[in-house]
Amino acid sequence: VKLLLVGMNHRTAPVAFRERFAVQDPSEFFPRLLAFEEIREAAIISTCNRIEVILLLDRDRIDWGSEWLRYEFFRQLAGDEPLPAHDSLEQMFYEHREREVVRHLFRVSASLDSLVVGEPQILGQIKDAYRIAQENKALGKVLSRIFEHAFATAKRVRHETQIAEGAVSVARVAVSLGKQIFENFEGKTALLIGAGEMIEAAVKALQVEGLSSIRIANRTFSRAEHLAAEFSGTAHTLEEIPTLLQEADVVLTCIGGDGTILDKPQMTGVAKLRRGKPLFVIDIGVPRNVAADVGEIDNVYLYDVDDLSEAAEMNAQQRREAMFLAEEIILEEEAEVTRWLSSLQVVPTIRELCATAEQIRQQEQNKTFARLDLDEQQQKAVEALTRSIVNKLLHVPLVRLRESGASEDGAKHVEAARHLFGLQHEEEERNPSEGGQGEKIPVRSTSLSSGEDS
Amino acid sequence: MILTLHQIAALFYLVASLAASYGIGMGHLRARRFGVGALGAGFLVHTLALGFLHQEPTPPPLSDLPPAISIMVWISVLFFLLMRLRMRISGLVVFVAPPAFIGTTYAALYFPVASEVVAKQEVWSHLHILLSSGGFALLALAAGAGTVFLVANRVLKDRRPKARRLELPSLEALDRLNLISLSVGFPLLTLGLITGILWSRVGEAELAKHAPHVISSTIAWGVYVGLLIARLGVGKGYRQPPMQAAKSAIVGFVILFVAIVIVGILK
């Protein structure tokens, strides 16, 4: 059997395409995948940034699987509306086979392939994909093992590298800075000056951290009211800012217009009235809304958009550096899984070899029994003798085959064994239907060890 | 056994210091956590060491400097670990563990041999040492929190992101630690002074004999009264701003250190 992965992600396809292939509920697509006999196991990963299908296929059906996924399955996902021209769509898909699938899944789970490297959500999404595939009885021994190993690898990468450390978005950097001033944001009051998208993103991040009270001051009062309704805050005019500043713990400014709206003399007065209570000011406006020298006032901590961007970029760089170590971990883990997969490939050959030997033994034994008039005791003795000879003859080749299964040359040894012992090739053995349409397999059993693939 | 356990505790405190320094300097979360764990392990061994004091038929006098320092370290680590349960102050291990290592190492090297003379004023002396060591340790912790507050404030004011990578505890947590340490440490110091006076009288020692030590300690205590009034904002209706509180805690502890340790040595 062979592993195949076909998919598209944020690097290969724009969101306009990805959203066409996004799967809300992968469960409804498993019957279509599992209807084919050639597909032994399957999993569907669908997130905002990627849609991927992983299949465990019969060895000779991998090309068919690739084409079927691209031209049939993904088209089904896209629905009835016309898709872009064929050529451009083809470029949006990527494909991995065999150990590349393992490496890719490990990289995705460890968040090395994410839009924001090191983001933690992807692991949960992969676990969801695993769970859904399990619920739909689409997983067998092979994919289950690979997924479980992917989770362990992701955990190892997270613990042994700095891949997930440091905020990499302006909003998260603001939260991280705030946590160096306040123990937490619970019970804290934020004053938002302006009502743009940047402010919204920062407030959402702060609200996740427990920010409770929000006041919004804006030139256009209706816009302030709209945002206040969204964040359960209160709307104010710009004239109210001096009063609001006295009660605020966090000030977020991003408002258009020339000149600053908060200057040092004004903020010095506010700081005095606040009696040393710390004030965290984030100025993400361009041009800046707060005079730079406001940061010199005791207990006032001012950061502008460049400060935040610089910190975000530095953390992103740190994560990129951590990727080298993470890739090494993934290669190590991938090698382990590949060894295991290789060891599985000898199982059908061993099974077949034993079956062939037993068949020959029985044929020859029956011929002998027909020629000689042996009593029951004598027959048992002959049977034991032939069985013993066969077992002894096969013992060393079988041991060698098992040992070589885990090595890189495993496939060559399997091939050699099949040739030497005259075993039929899998392709010759099976009589695959031309269209690939086969009998539906209701429950996925452990395909490799059960010999279904040979 | 007491010496061996002190040596083991010192080793744990050293490991905690190194792990916490590496964790803070390199931004390594696991190293920081390991530092906290090592500090906790050192504390347990340290507790065992002090527990063995009771098993000694003739325990060494606590008024000797090595046992007093050992107790001081033990109380400050205990208080820090308790505070850590309520606040995100793990980053402070880097400031707590090194003095703990130095203190226990000193105690391990110079721990007195068992005294054959059991003073009749033993209760007062033990109370005096325990209370004043506790007070001294907590006021030292308040000063430590104040120092880290000033460093953290400087780091936050510095706009270069590299400077902010130290990942110190939040200013709010440091200020709270300062306040709690001061609020608990000052009453302990006060009781320590009172029991010290009682110890001198019961022992029929002349108070005048300890005059410089008593006078300097009383002056330091008076300074702390003033600091506490300012800190709690008695009469003003509002608490002292965190920055001033941090500076006050440092100044107060320096005066206390001179009054108790330097004057004690000179005496």
Side-chain angles (χ1 to χ4, degrees):
Chain A
V1 288
K2 294 274 185 187
L3 283 165
L4 171 72
L5 181 148
V6 177
M8 59 169 60
N9 67 14
H10 54 281
R11 285 198 198 86
T12 62
V15 67
F17 281 82
R18 294 201 310 273
E19 66 190 8
R20 291 289 306 278
F21 296 96
V23 176
Q24 295 302 319
D25 179 16
S27 295
E28 62 182 277
F29 293 96
F30 279 106
R32 295 184 203 180
L33 291 169
L34 302 181
F36 294 94
E37 194 180 33
E38 294 86 345
I39 298 174
R40 301 303 178 93
E41 300 180 30
I44 301 171
I45 298 168
S46 178
T47 71
C48 307
N49 289 326
R50 71 181 67 243
I51 168 77
E52 290 172 351
V53 178
I54 305 174
L55 300 180
L56 185 74
L57 287 151
D58 287 345
R59 202 159 89 168
D60 57 331
R61 305 300 289 160
I62 194 158
D63 292 330
W64 165 80
S66 168
E67 287 193 13
W68 181 76
L69 282 176
R70 287 160 188 264
Y71 301 116
E72 296 289 332
F73 185 74
F74 276 99
R75 281 188 184 278
Q76 288 172 17
L77 295 185
D80 296 332
E81 284 183 41
L83 282 169
H86 183 271
D87 283 351
S88 62
L89 184 65
E90 181 62 23
Q91 286 164 6
M92 288 175 201
F93 285 115
Y94 49 81
E95 181 179 312
H96 298 294
R97 293 183 181 200
E98 289 296 271
R99 61 187 301 170
E100 284 177 9
V101 175
V102 177
R103 187 183 307 167
H104 178 80
L105 185 63
F106 285 11
R107 291 187 84 253
V108 171
S109 304
S111 192
L112 299 190
D113 199 44
S114 297
L115 181 63
V116 178
V117 172
E119 55 94 3
Q121 286 86 4
I122 185 68
L123 184 58
Q125 290 165 329
I126 301 290
K127 283 182 177 172
D128 284 344
Y130 171 70
R131 181 183 49 77
I132 293 168
Q134 245 182 352
E135 284 169 2
N136 284 276
K137 298 182 171 34
L139 293 184
K141 187 176 178 180
V142 177
L143 280 188
S144 291
R145 171 86 179 246
I146 293 172
F147 267 94
E148 280 159 17
H149 212 105
F151 305 148
T153 303
K155 198 174 169 187
R156 202 183 145 198
V157 166
R158 196 160 284 271
H159 279 126
E160 292 182 21
T161 71
Q162 295 185 320
I163 199 82
E165 288 184 20
V168 288
S169 72
V170 167
R172 293 301 311 170
V173 169
V175 169
S176 155
L177 277 169
K179 280 184 172 176
Q180 292 179 43
I181 297 168
F182 308 113
E183 269 190 278
N184 52 55
F185 289 97
E186 281 167 27
K188 299 286 186 290
T189 300
L191 168 61
L192 319 184
I193 303 174
E197 282 176 15
M198 290 284 274
I199 290 261
E200 274 189 58
V203 169
K204 276 179 189 163
L206 288 167
Q207 268 194 329
V208 169
E209 296 294 329
L211 187 79
S212 49
S213 175
I214 295 171
R215 281 106 197 253
I216 302 149
N218 197 35
R219 280 201 188 91
T220 315
F221 189 70
S222 59
R223 173 72 186 139
E225 279 184 315
H226 174 74
L227 207 61
E230 191 179 334
F231 292 112
S232 309
T234 54
H236 303 269
T237 61
L238 292 186
E239 287 70 38
E240 293 175 79
I241 287 175
T243 318
L244 295 169
L245 280 170
Q246 290 175 39
E247 295 162 7
D249 300 293
V250 180
V251 177
L252 270 162
T253 72
C254 185
I255 196 163
D258 293 332
T260 56
I261 54 164
L262 300 177
D263 56 22
K264 193 176 180 184
Q266 181 192 5
M267 290 302 282
T268 306
V270 169
K272 272 183 189 163
L273 291 169
R274 293 172 59 84
R275 302 191 193 287
K277 223 171 95 179
L279 184 62
F280 176 35
V281 184
I282 307 155
D283 178 7
I284 40 184
V286 179
R288 285 178 293 179
N289 304 142
V290 186
D293 53 4
V294 165
E296 294 167 8
I297 303 168
D298 275 354
N299 304 308
V300 176
Y301 303 92
L302 168 67
Y303 301 95
D304 62 30
V305 72
D306 276 0
D307 298 328
L308 302 182
S309 304
E310 198 182 338
E313 177 49 37
M314 211 175 80
N315 291 335
Q317 178 59 29
Q318 175 186 290
R319 288 188 181 197
R320 284 194 287 273
E321 284 166 13
M323 279 181 79
F324 292 108
L325 182 57
E327 296 282 9
E328 279 179 28
I329 292 171
I330 281 168
L331 282 177
E332 268 176 39
E333 299 293 335
E334 179 208 327
E336 196 179 312
V337 171
T338 307
R339 272 198 299 275
W340 176 74
L341 285 172
S342 301
S343 73
L344 288 182
Q345 72 187 345
V346 303
V347 172
T349 301
I350 288 174
R351 200 180 291 267
E352 210 179 324
L353 185 54
C354 290
T356 306
E358 176 63 14
Q359 197 184 359
I360 293 167
R361 188 191 68 79
Q362 277 188 1
Q363 278 173 0
E364 295 308 311
Q365 182 185 270
N366 291 342
K367 276 187 206 169
T368 306
F369 286 171
R371 272 190 277 119
L372 302 172
D373 184 21
L374 301 174
D375 60 26
E376 194 180 338
Q377 200 176 352
Q378 288 168 327
Q379 281 188 2
K380 276 186 180 171
V382 171
E383 191 177 342
L385 173 73
T386 54
R387 207 180 285 278
S388 172
I389 291 169
V390 168
N391 286 346
K392 281 193 163 40
L393 276 173
L394 285 183
H395 177 71
V396 174
L398 292 182
V399 169
R400 295 275 189 274
L401 210 50
R402 278 199 192 95
E403 285 170 356
S404 69
S407 71
E408 284 184 4
D409 294 333
K412 287 180 190 167
H413 287 111
V414 168
E415 193 63 28
R418 300 189 78 84
H419 179 69
L420 287 172
F421 287 98
L423 303 176
Q424 275 188 307
H425 272 276
E426 290 163 87
E427 301 89 83
E428 295 163 21
E429 245 189 354
R430 202 183 294 111
N431 183 20
S433 56
E434 286 300 312
Q437 193 78 33
E439 190 185 331
K440 184 177 177 179
I441 303 166
V443 178
R444 304 283 114 178
S445 59
T446 304
S447 18
L448 279 166
S449 58
S450 66
E452 283 175 320
D453 60 324
S454 53
Chain B
M1 179 59 87
I2 293 171
L3 289 183
T4 310
L5 289 172
H6 267 91
Q7 284 162 358
I8 297 170
L11 191 66
F12 274 118
Y13 290 146
L14 175 66
V15 171
S17 308
L18 296 174
S21 305
Y22 178 77
I24 291 260
M26 304 300 288
H28 201 287
L29 185 65
R30 288 178 90 190
R32 288 206 300 274
R33 284 183 184 158
F34 184 73
V36 175
L39 187 78
F43 173 76
L44 290 177
V45 177
H46 198 168
T47 308
L48 213 57
L50 294 178
F52 270 100
L53 273 177
H54 287 286
Q55 288 199 337
E56 292 286 316
T58 50
L62 294 184
S63 50
D64 280 9
L65 197 57
I69 285 180
S70 177
I71 288 169
M72 216 178 285
V73 167
W74 184 81
I75 291 172
S76 58
V77 175
L78 169 69
F79 190 77
F80 170 76
L81 291 173
L82 287 175
M83 287 296 101
R84 198 190 146 267
L85 297 176
R86 295 181 63 90
M87 296 183 228
R88 288 189 298 122
I89 53 169
S90 300
L92 278 187
V93 173
V94 78
F95 299 98
V96 173
F101 163 66
I102 294 167
T104 38
T105 304
Y106 175 78
L109 288 174
Y110 300 105
F111 214 85
V113 288
S115 167
E116 291 178 2
V117 183
V118 182
K120 61 180 177 181
Q121 64 273 28
E122 191 182 27
V123 175
W124 290 118
S125 76
H126 279 195
L127 273 175
H128 169 67
I129 296 298
L130 284 172
L131 291 167
S132 38
S133 294
F136 192 86
L138 297 195
L139 294 173
L141 202 59
T147 309
V148 181
F149 182 97
L150 296 180
V151 172
N153 180 68
R154 174 66 68 88
V155 165
L156 279 165
K157 287 279 186 185
D158 192 330
R159 291 185 166 202
R160 286 170 304 160
K162 270 187 184 170
R164 290 199 294 271
R165 306 203 96 181
L166 282 174
E167 294 192 39
L168 297 165
S170 69
L171 296 179
E172 204 173 50
L174 290 166
D175 184 49
R176 206 147 69 91
L177 179 65
N178 180 345
L179 179 63
I180 296 171
S181 304
L182 185 65
S183 306
V184 180
F186 179 74
L188 289 180
L189 184 74
T190 308
L191 291 171
L193 281 175
I194 294 167
T195 48
I197 292 166
L198 289 170
W199 172 32
S200 301
R201 286 188 182 281
V202 170
E204 293 171 0
E206 291 174 23
L207 195 58
K209 188 175 150 190
H210 303 287
H213 185 60
V214 173
I215 292 166
S216 62
S217 301
T218 310
I219 291 170
W221 180 84
V223 169
Y224 263 106
V225 172
L227 290 179
L228 201 60
I229 288 170
R231 183 75 169 98
L232 299 176
V234 179
K236 283 185 178 175
Y238 60 89
R239 282 184 181 170
Q240 196 175 30
M243 185 88 78
Q244 286 175 30
K247 289 174 184 168
S248 301
I250 297 166
V251 171
F253 183 71
V254 169
I255 292 169
L256 185 71
F257 187 82
V258 171
I260 291 181
V261 180
I262 305 293
V263 172
I265 290 170
L266 292 175
K267 182 186 77 174

